[in-house]
Amino acid sequence: MRVPVLAYHAVNIAGNDYASNDPLAFAADLRLIHELGLRIVPLQWVVEQVVGSGNRDLEGCVALTCDDGSNFDFNDLDHPIHGPQRSLYNCLLDFEAEFGVDAQPDLHLTCFVIASPEAREHIDRGCLAGRGWMSEAWWKDAQRSGLIGIENHSWDHNHPAVKLPGLEGMQRGSFLEVDSLPRARAEIAAATDYINERIAPSRTQIFCYPFSHVPEYLRAEYFPRFADEHGMLAAMGDGAVPVTLDSDRWNLPRYICGWHWKTPEALRDILAG
Ligand SMILES: [Zn+2]
């Protein structure tokens, strides 16, 4: 198995072309992946393969993810500077309308969301336009659609835009601060509980490290030893290589749009291996 996992940030909208607009890049990439004869599959399948609970043929597959869980993931929105924007979810529906639902029968996007409503409000005001674009109102509908999985991007991202004291005395702005059991519980297990309540009967089982910061305590200690309380099967980082059966389940690699590739040609190279 050798599955590239791609990552997008739907709020990355600085213009209306491939290089400046993640939703536009996402829509184009769906077509490129399809044109290359690759199969889009749920990240959950890739994780199950790595941890040994799944045994599917994942030859020629790609998995899609997006981070931070803004409303741009699910709802079309009017950007104050760059105008109307298609949501990632509607990009999936557009693809199905154009090519038919059988073209990519396992089409799926995994959305990593931030649990804390208070943190999301601060991030909405501090980093977005302050229009309520970090809501959780869409989570359940997204999960029910079958095209989207809602997963865990921590309690508050330990984000610097959150103008509240850091959890358990943490300095804000780095996820490497999560280096002890109380801090891990506050950032991960609490997020699991909150998200699970909102998407029941589904459950979150995949974590994504905020800022791609992988604290050694989480990777080597908390995730492997406290599965009962955090409920995670795997955690996603940014290693920029495909996931294989030898990958570290607590730091599975992804390629980030706008960082590891900026053009369709560069993505084509990644997918061609
Ligand atoms: Zn993030």
Side-chain angles (χ1 to χ4, degrees), residues 139-173:
W139 293 0
K140 190 136 193 170
D141 288 341
Q143 182 78 37
R144 276 210 199 111
S145 76
L147 285 173
I148 286 185
I150 300 293
E151 299 288 354
N152 188 343
H153 199 32
S154 83
W155 179 253
D156 68 356
H157 211 290
N158 201 23
H159 203 286
V162 181
K163 302 300 177 199
L164 299 167
L167 302 174
E168 300 294 336
M170 287 191 284
Q171 189 84 17
R172 288 208 172 270

Side-chain angles (χ1 to χ4, degrees), residues 42-246:
L43 177 64
Q44 178 82 22
W45 291 11
V46 182
V47 166
E48 286 172 8
Q49 205 86 358
V50 171
V51 306
S53 63
N55 186 21
R56 300 179 179 89
D57 177 10
L58 298 183
E59 203 52 46
C61 289
V62 182
L64 305 175
T65 67
C66 68
D67 290 3
D68 303 327
S70 74
N71 294 24
F72 285 96
D73 291 358
F74 196 66
N75 302 121
D76 292 348
L77 292 173
D78 213 0
H79 189 281
I81 300 165
H82 303 292
Q85 302 294 328
R86 202 74 170 136
S87 72
L88 302 185
Y89 172 67
N90 281 324
C91 291
L92 296 174
L93 294 182
D94 291 346
F95 176 88
E96 287 192 333
E98 191 178 331
F99 293 89
V101 288
D102 295 332
Q104 289 285 344
D106 305 308
L107 187 64
H108 193 268
L109 170 68
T110 295
C111 296
F112 291 101
V113 304
I114 298 166
S116 159
E118 213 179 8
R120 282 188 270 109
E121 241 181 77
H122 279 253
I123 293 168
D124 184 56
R125 280 200 303 265
C127 306
L128 304 179
R131 298 187 181 184
W133 287 346
M134 291 292 294
S135 89
E136 63 190 44
W138 56 275
W139 293 0
K140 190 136 193 170
D141 288 341
Q143 182 78 37
R144 276 210 199 111
S145 76
L147 285 173
I148 286 185
I150 300 293
E151 299 288 354
N152 188 343
H153 199 32
S154 83
W155 179 253
D156 68 356
H157 211 290
N158 201 23
H159 203 286
V162 181
K163 302 300 177 199
L164 299 167
L167 302 174
E168 300 294 336
M170 287 191 284
Q171 189 84 17
R172 288 208 172 270
S174 167
F175 209 71
L176 296 174
E177 290 277 299
V178 187
D179 58 1
S180 68
L181 187 55
R183 290 177 172 190
R185 285 185 164 143
E187 282 291 357
I188 293 144
T192 301
D193 292 345
Y194 187 90
I195 294 166
N196 282 349
E197 265 180 45
R198 263 105 205 133
I199 62 170
S202 298
R203 285 176 306 143
T204 170
Q205 293 187 303
I206 311 173
F207 186 74
C208 173
Y209 292 105
F211 312 112
S212 298
H213 290 170
V214 182
E216 191 55 15
Y217 172 74
L218 292 184
R219 192 196 63 78
E221 184 86 9
Y222 181 68
F223 278 129
R225 286 191 48 207
F226 292 88
D228 285 353
E229 68 171 57
H230 58 64
M232 298 294 107
L233 288 176
M236 308 306 297
D238 69 353
V241 290
V243 173
T244 71
L245 293 179
D246 295 328

